[in-house]
Amino acid sequence: MIIKTSQRARVFVPFLRQHRWKILASVAVLAGILSIRSFHWGGHKPMDTFIHCGAETVKHHDGKSVFVSEGHIFSGGNSQTREEVRTGQFASRLDAKQQYGIGYIIHDAKIGERYRAVAWRKGHKYAASYLTVNIQSEPQYFKQEGTAVEVDDEEWEKLELIFEVSTFYRNEPIYIYMHGGDVPVYVDDFSVEKIQEAKTKDSESTAVDFPQLNFSVGDAGLRKLKRRRQEAFYQGILFSSPDDWVKGHVQTPSAHFPAKFRFKGDWMDHLTGDKWSFRIKIKEPYAWKRMFTFSVQNPKTRFYLREWEYHQLLDREGLLTTQYDFLKLSLNGRSKGVYAYEEHFEKHLIESRGRREGPIVKFSEIGVWEIRKRKLDMERDGLEMEELLHSMESARAEPFGETSLLQDSLLTEQFEVAQTLMHQYQAGLSSASMVFDLNKLAKFYALTDLSRAYHGLVWHNQRFYFNPITNKLEPIGYDGFTEAGEYPLTAKPFLGAGVHEVSGDQTSDLLLFPFIDTAFMRHYIQYLDTFSHPSYVDNFLLDISEAHVARTQLIRSEYPEYTYTPAFPTHAERIRSVLFPVDHASLKAFTQTRTSDHQGLQLANFHLLPIELIGWGRSPEDLQERLSQPLWLNGYDSERMPQYHSLDVPKAATYLFFRLPGTHQLFVSSIHSSPLPAPSTPYQQLVTDLSLTPGDLFTIDSTSLSFLPGRHIVREPILIPKGYQVRFPAGTSLDFVKGAFFLSHSPVYMMGSQTSPIRIHSSDRSGQGFALIEARETSVMKWVVFDHLTNLNQKGWRLTGAVSVYESPVRITHCSFSNAHCEDALNLIRSPFDLQNSHISSALSDGLDVDFSKGKIDHLAVSNTGNDGIDLSGSEIILSNCRIQEAGDKGISVGEYTIVTIESANIESVARGVVAKDLSNVHIKNIHLKTCKTGFAAYQKKPEYGGAHIQVDQYQAEAVQHLHLVEKGSTLKLNGKLVPGI
């Protein structure tokens, strides 16, 4: 097997799954391998470092015509021709009768050896042809290269394929050969070169096939880049402009893309010496690692492995971050050594991590860099100038990809909302709870504390994604380190230490802004506790150990003296040493007043983080009585007078019990019998909870909100926060008019019956839907009718479903969704679900839309939809006993790496029955198709994905015009037979 790996179980199976579309798409090639294997290329001698065949000499060997060159035997001698020749007098011709040309067998390969195979071809524009590597005992696995890396003046193209002998290779012949099609293709100057010797046992487990890129830039482009470099050194700062780009190509061992380049970075560390940093844009529809735009830079500019580890931590916890890893770079064929590459801020960054497309925003950097240029010109204190000239306060929020964003009305509306949130954040006009996804922001800050990757928190380095579902911002982590290492943003053990109010310094307040929100602080402390725990640190180090060693070795290949030990274990120990309070010291309590049965206390928290007072007791080991609600005490700020709070407790209380918010460990402090010697300032409540007023529509107790039975006209939106159980009795009818809508962050329990269903509808057809967002407990919808609803659309906050469920487990049974006047009748997003015995009808567009979810669909009927009956994306679904009738487009649409098992389905009167796209896999056990233009279709739609695959065990087709449409690169297997692609 010639696939780079370190552990068979870990790498081999994922590779098989990821590349099976290539394997299945090459069935014809594999069939031909059987004839290749029938060749006995005996009489070989051990391979030298380099062998070459120019197709000049033909001999007969074991009854076959073979090429011979310098004592080595090559297959394909009967393909010799004079028609088209690159060098010498002969070449090899491939056509319908002779599809296999020059080939060679490596008999004595060793694990860890790396080879480069090269062949020059002509005529590829008229027929597919490939340079192929295959192992004899595993014909289902091979590597192919059909894209040229170089073209000469005579239109001969160079194919190059680099492969490494994997750790589970078992001393078998390795076949390297050219394969063509029906139209003539000519091959010359075939060569195989050993470019790396076998690895030692110590290095086998850490071997990584790092990407290799070559940037091709013409002479005019190089001259332009050098001029820009000189200008940047003269100014001391690199100012980029739209006319900085130069055209060229990006080449990999297997592809060749048109692209354009410019310098990236601001300071001169990106342009010093011979290792320049570049921003690259690959021309669509091409992409590299699913990226259209990315950057490459000297690993030193981000402090070598520190930045990579930071990205690994963020990715491990499901936070948004850019792709960041290492590669080997050449410029016009000249090696530039090891580089770091990083994804740019485009929509695939969001979509590849299971988020809906939305704007990516930042604060404009124009002002700060103009001020820094002035600082260099005048040799003044730059920080003072930035503060006095208000570079941060005057910076506007701006989107990435502004030109294309402004062409999309929805994205423009979303950006306007994001811009408002950025302004609230910038000016401190709202709480963090209203601006950010608190859970994700808390993780982000805690991991940044663990890594001390504070460079990314400087205000003009911050990047955010506007989530159109939650209507809030999510952080995107990147740029955590400078060339010098950790950025000295704070000397504190973690950013939240000692913060309970803003300072008045707007630039500093931007970082402190979230910490004055109690809900954020609760999440933040919980994650500080989790991430600083030794088990978390140890497990993370084990998980990345192999990858870490491999990247260390790569960097050492250019910087031999480089050594690095992860720093965050030390940071974790420092955080943990001061994270928790101290018994009898962190909380002070003074008895200010006394009555016959109570005492009035003055309390102050002297811990650097907030604490919650839980209750009191008569001994330090016995918590006798809990407070009805924990009392929040802000963390201590050593630069301010302590904040005291008043509390009445029983006279018998002598000890108070408290904890860190978000944690469970209890701490204790004694109550001093003497009063506080000085007056105190009462603690002020900073956060106001959402107020729900009960009335004719619902009732409320401490944890339950119950709608009253009967018919109700709802003219105002209903927004329910977390912390409730929302109940609907059977027979309840809510008529949403004048644009009203229902949105709950708490689970709903809608228990209708067949004779007395619950009805959610809009008599004037303006009701903006029914939505569950981040209701963590499982909601239940039983015998509910949703009728004549449209989607939520509030100035850029737009959902697509008449009924939308986001990050909320749900069970739906015996429900109907009819007359939806929007994109989706029912939209399930990032939500586990069970959908049974339900009906969707008369939808303006899609009936059921499932995104990034896992669930079961059983006995679902979908009829009369304007677009797709069922649309599945990024999900894992089991579907059974479903009927789809009269869909304007697809009966079942499966896309974006979705795995679906269809147990049984009936699809009638649709344009296309079942469509699979973009790395999706559909297994159909039984299906009945009737009156369709196309029955089954499999293809690639998005360039950053691959083909799709459909397997049909049993089917019936009536009045189907075209049973199948299979694009090359995708597969369809009907009743065990593979359908050829087109």
Side-chain angles (χ1 to χ4, degrees):
M1 175 57 194
I2 316 300
I3 302 298
K4 174 70 188 71
T5 185
S6 59
Q7 290 185 354
R8 186 170 190 172
R10 182 176 297 176
V11 178
F12 176 77
V13 173
F15 179 89
L16 170 60
R17 291 174 179 168
Q18 181 180 356
H19 295 278
R20 57 188 177 274
W21 65 273
K22 291 183 179 178
I23 296 166
L24 294 173
S26 304
V27 169
V29 175
L30 297 178
I33 290 173
L34 297 175
S35 62
I36 290 288
R37 292 165 66 183
S38 68
F39 293 173
H40 176 64
W41 305 339
H44 71 280
K45 68 176 185 178
M47 179 184 164
D48 305 321
T49 302
F50 177 84
I51 61 170
H52 171 270
C53 180
E56 299 299 307
T57 303
V58 174
K59 292 185 178 181
H60 287 278
H61 180 78
D62 286 350
K64 301 288 184 180
S65 293
V66 298
F67 292 113
V68 177
S69 178
E70 298 180 353
H72 294 279
I73 298 174
F74 300 80
S75 68
N78 55 342
S79 68
Q80 188 183 52
T81 183
R82 293 179 181 267
E83 295 173 11
E84 291 282 356
V85 178
R86 182 173 182 268
T87 60
Q89 301 181 48
F90 298 97
S92 171
R93 172 188 164 117
L94 307 181
D95 53 29
K97 295 181 179 179
Q98 180 67 38
Q99 293 191 339
Y100 296 90
I102 305 177
Y104 184 77
I105 297 180
I106 301 175
H107 289 273
D108 50 358
K110 295 180 176 59
I111 292 174
E113 289 180 336
R114 184 173 296 181
Y115 294 85
R116 177 188 289 112
V118 172
W120 289 83
R121 72 176 175 190
K122 192 172 185 179
H124 70 285
K125 295 178 182 178
Y126 310 103
S129 56
Y130 302 94
L131 178 60
T132 304
V133 175
N134 181 64
I135 193 167
Q136 184 174 15
S137 66
E138 299 179 89
Q140 70 271 36
Y141 298 108
F142 61 93
K143 293 183 72 173
Q144 286 187 317
E145 183 53 72
T147 303
V149 298
E150 183 180 336
V151 183
D152 67 14
D153 294 338
E154 301 298 324
E155 296 189 353
W156 282 86
E157 290 197 329
K158 180 182 179 181
L159 299 180
E160 182 178 89
L161 199 157
I162 296 176
F163 61 95
E164 185 171 307
V165 182
S166 72
T167 56
F168 48 93
Y169 170 73
R170 294 296 177 264
N171 300 319
E172 297 165 285
I174 298 173
Y175 293 84
I176 309 168
Y177 56 92
M178 279 297 302
H179 170 254
D182 295 337
V183 179
V185 174
Y186 301 91
V187 179
D188 204 350
D189 292 323
F190 179 95
S191 65
V192 179
E193 178 185 8
K194 185 189 299 182
I195 58 176
Q196 178 176 290
E197 295 296 332
K199 299 179 180 179
T200 65
K201 292 183 178 179
D202 291 338
S203 63
E204 287 176 7
S205 64
T206 59
V208 174
D209 193 7
F210 289 99
Q212 300 183 49
L213 291 185
N214 179 63
F215 294 166
S216 298
V217 178
D219 292 339
L222 280 178
R223 287 193 296 270
K224 182 176 180 179
L225 289 172
K226 290 177 180 179
R227 285 197 305 271
R228 287 294 295 117
R229 182 171 178 264
Q230 290 176 346
E231 293 169 2
F233 272 100
Y234 178 78
Q235 294 176 328
I237 296 175
L238 174 64
F239 285 91
S240 298
S241 64
D243 63 352
D244 283 353
W245 295 96
V246 300
K247 293 182 179 180
H249 289 82
V250 173
Q251 296 169 301
T252 74
S254 61
H256 188 158
F257 309 122
K260 57 182 181 179
F261 308 80
R262 70 164 173 81
F263 289 132
K264 66 87 61 177
D266 303 304
W267 297 115
M268 295 304 97
D269 58 328
H270 287 276
L271 297 176
T272 55
D274 200 29
K275 290 178 77 75
W276 306 337
S277 299
F278 291 98
R279 174 74 43 78
I280 303 97
K281 285 188 177 182
I282 294 177
K283 187 175 181 180
E284 294 187 40
Y286 303 102
W288 182 71
K289 289 189 174 293
R290 301 188 183 179
M291 298 182 294
F292 297 114
T293 308
F294 61 100
S295 299
V296 294
Q297 56 201 27
N298 189 332
K300 182 180 179 182
T301 60
R302 295 279 184 85
F303 209 51
Y304 302 102
L305 285 179
R306 290 293 293 280
E307 182 76 14
W308 175 79
E309 287 179 340
Y310 180 48
H311 285 253
Q312 298 304 300
L313 280 168
L314 295 172
D315 200 51
R316 178 189 180 94
E317 294 303 323
L319 298 177
L320 292 174
T321 185
T322 54
Q323 286 191 59
Y324 188 91
D325 212 334
F326 302 92
L327 53 76
K328 300 172 184 178
L329 181 68
S330 299
L331 178 61
N332 288 340
R334 181 184 174 190
S335 175
K336 296 295 182 179
V338 179
Y339 268 68
Y341 69 84
E342 184 169 37
E343 182 178 12
H344 192 51
F345 299 94
E346 295 177 322
K347 69 173 185 176
H348 182 68
L349 185 156
I350 304 303
E351 293 178 341
S352 65
R353 290 163 175 83
R355 310 300 205 275
R356 279 279 185 86
E357 182 182 3
I360 299 176
V361 293
K362 66 172 184 175
F363 291 115
S364 173
E365 302 176 44
I366 295 175
V368 70
W369 291 110
E370 288 292 342
I371 293 171
R372 290 181 179 182
K373 181 179 181 299
R374 184 186 298 182
K375 162 208 164 184
L376 294 175
D377 293 340
M378 301 180 65
E379 298 183 358
R380 297 287 299 174
D381 182 350
L383 291 178
E384 179 187 54
M385 292 170 62
E386 289 177 35
E387 291 175 1
L388 294 178
L389 294 174
H390 304 292
S391 62
M392 189 279 288
E393 294 89 335
S394 63
R396 75 177 186 92
E398 61 183 15
F400 285 87
E402 185 168 7
T403 301
S404 58
L405 180 142
L406 293 176
Q407 295 173 355
D408 187 315
S409 60
L410 175 57
L411 288 176
T412 299
E413 287 184 343
Q414 291 172 356
F415 168 67
E416 290 173 356
V417 179
Q419 192 175 39
T420 298
L421 295 176
M422 291 286 281
H423 176 64
Q424 292 174 349
Y425 171 46
Q426 182 182 37
L429 299 178
S430 184
S431 67
S433 301
M434 299 302 295
V435 174
F436 295 106
D437 183 316
L438 288 189
N439 187 57
K440 294 180 175 63
L441 188 70
K443 281 187 178 182
F444 173 68
Y445 266 82
L447 288 175
T448 302
D449 279 325
L450 186 68
S451 305
R452 297 193 74 80
Y454 292 134
H455 185 249
L457 293 185
V458 178
W459 68 267
H460 54 81
N461 290 334
Q462 295 182 6
R463 304 289 185 264
F464 298 99
Y465 155 63
F466 174 75
N467 187 324
I469 305 297
T470 63
N471 213 232
K472 294 180 181 179
L473 299 176
E474 294 182 27
I476 303 176
Y478 96 117
D479 199 11
F481 299 93
T482 68
E483 182 180 21
E486 296 175 8
Y487 188 75
L489 185 67
T490 179
K492 297 189 294 186
F494 43 86
L495 284 169
V499 177
H500 65 85
E501 62 182 45
V502 295
S503 64
D505 177 355
Q506 196 70 17
T507 303
S508 174
D509 288 350
L510 199 69
L511 288 177
L512 304 182
F513 173 75
F515 296 100
I516 61 174
D517 188 312
T518 56
F520 169 83
M521 188 63 90
R522 192 181 304 278
H523 288 294
Y524 172 73
I525 294 171
Q526 174 189 349
Y527 287 125
L528 278 180
D529 178 20
T530 299
F531 298 151
S532 67
H533 196 280
S535 63
Y536 182 91
V537 174
D538 292 342
N539 286 330
F540 175 71
L541 291 175
L542 284 173
D543 288 345
I544 68 165
S545 59
E546 289 188 10
H548 183 279
V549 172
R551 283 151 183 81
T552 302
Q553 292 173 347
L554 176 68
I555 293 174
R556 283 179 181 167
S557 68
E558 183 172 348
Y559 304 93
E561 304 301 320
Y562 177 72
T563 58
Y564 176 58
T565 301
F568 64 85
T570 302
H571 300 326
E573 290 179 1
R574 185 187 180 204
I575 291 171
R576 204 156 191 82
S577 68
V578 295
L579 179 62
F580 293 99
V582 178
D583 287 330
H584 304 292
S586 295
L587 175 65
K588 287 188 175 181
F590 298 89
T591 303
Q592 203 72 13
T593 61
R594 287 185 177 87
T595 65
S596 58
D597 55 359
H598 280 81
Q599 51 183 327
L601 305 181
Q602 289 288 300
L603 310 173
N605 174 21
F606 286 84
H607 186 51
L608 74 173
L609 286 171
I611 61 172
E612 288 180 321
L613 186 65
I614 302 301
W616 61 271
R618 294 179 180 176
S619 74
E621 291 82 25
D622 184 16
L623 173 59
Q624 290 181 295
E625 184 175 330
R626 289 181 176 269
L627 300 177
S628 59
Q629 290 290 331
L631 178 63
W632 182 286
L633 298 176
N634 278 327
Y636 176 62
D637 184 349
S638 60
E639 297 182 359
R640 299 174 183 269
M641 294 293 294
Q643 299 283 315
Y644 282 88
H645 189 84
S646 299
L647 177 70
D648 285 337
V649 297
K651 183 178 179 180
T654 53
Y655 293 93
L656 298 178
F657 293 84
F658 58 99
R659 68 188 178 196
L660 284 178
T663 67
H664 302 287
Q665 183 178 351
L666 291 182
F667 298 86
V668 64
S669 185
S670 58
I671 298 174
H672 295 280
S673 58
S674 58
L676 183 68
S680 64
T681 302
Y683 170 70
Q684 301 295 314
Q685 189 69 34
L686 298 177
V687 178
T688 302
D689 295 329
L690 177 65
S691 176
L692 290 172
T693 303
D696 296 335
L697 186 58
F698 55 80
T699 61
I700 298 178
D701 59 26
S702 60
T703 60
S704 180
L705 186 152
S706 300
F707 283 87
L708 298 173
R711 298 181 179 181
H712 306 278
I713 296 177
V714 183
R715 297 181 176 86
E716 298 293 335
I718 299 174
L719 290 91
I720 301 174
K722 294 181 184 295
Y724 291 92
Q725 292 182 340
V726 183
R727 302 187 181 277
F728 294 75
T732 301
S733 174
L734 299 184
D735 182 4
F736 289 87
V737 298
K738 295 184 178 180
F741 58 87
F742 178 94
L743 191 151
S744 177
H745 293 284
S746 295
V748 300
Y749 303 93
M750 310 177 77
M751 308 304 292
S753 66
Q754 185 173 9
T755 58
S756 186
I758 296 168
R759 184 173 174 82
I760 308 296
H761 66 109
S762 177
S763 59
D764 67 358
R765 303 191 179 187
S766 71
Q768 293 188 29
F770 186 98
L772 295 176
I773 294 182
E774 296 178 331
R776 302 301 183 186
E777 298 178 17
T778 300
S779 295
V780 179
M781 300 177 184
K782 184 176 181 181
W783 292 105
V784 184
V785 175
F786 298 93
D787 188 33
H788 281 301
L789 299 174
T790 187
N791 58 304
L792 178 67
N793 189 356
Q794 295 289 314
K795 296 181 179 180
W797 184 11
R798 179 178 174 182
L799 306 180
T800 60
V803 177
S804 298
V805 181
Y806 177 76
E807 291 191 352
S808 304
V810 63
R811 293 199 303 270
I812 302 172
T813 180
H814 295 294
C815 292
S816 70
F817 307 82
S818 57
N819 301 301
H821 311 296
C822 55
E823 187 172 335
D824 307 312
L826 172 60
N827 189 197
L828 303 171
I829 313 157
R830 293 172 63 88
S831 299
F833 71 92
D834 190 356
L835 174 59
Q836 299 183 22
N837 300 297
S838 295
H839 182 218
I840 299 173
S841 62
S842 300
L844 179 65
S845 187
D846 292 347
L848 170 64
D849 189 345
V850 180
D851 300 311
F852 314 114
S853 299
K854 183 175 182 180
K856 295 181 180 180
I857 304 170
D858 186 26
H859 285 90
L860 174 67
V862 183
S863 62
N864 191 24
T865 60
N867 195 46
D868 300 335
I870 298 176
D871 186 359
L872 309 173
S873 299
S875 299
E876 186 173 343
I877 306 296
I878 297 176
L879 186 149
S880 57
N881 303 306
C882 291
R883 176 177 293 276
I884 301 169
Q885 294 177 297
E886 298 183 1
D889 191 2
K890 299 174 283 292
I892 300 176
S893 176
V894 184
E896 298 173 3
Y897 207 21
T898 293
I899 299 174
V900 179
T901 299
I902 300 176
E903 303 282 354
S904 58
N906 286 273
I907 300 177
E908 181 178 351
S909 300
V910 301
R912 291 177 285 180
V914 178
V915 174
K917 303 166 291 187
D918 301 331
L919 291 177
S920 292
N921 281 271
V922 181
H923 182 191
I924 302 174
K925 296 184 178 181
N926 188 13
I927 193 168
H928 185 185
L929 301 174
K930 184 177 180 180
T931 316
C932 306
K933 292 182 179 179
T934 303
F936 306 102
Y939 53 85
Q940 177 180 347
K941 182 178 180 181
K942 297 184 177 181
E944 63 268 33
Y945 288 88
H949 314 284
I950 304 176
Q951 176 182 329
V952 183
D953 296 343
Q954 185 176 350
Y955 71 95
Q956 299 178 51
E958 300 178 42
V960 176
Q961 295 181 21
H962 304 284
L963 182 59
H964 49 72
L965 173 64
V966 184
E967 184 186 78
K968 185 177 181 181
S970 297
T971 61
L972 170 63
K973 184 178 287 187
L974 293 177
N975 293 339
K977 295 182 179 180
L978 197 64
V979 175
I982 59 172

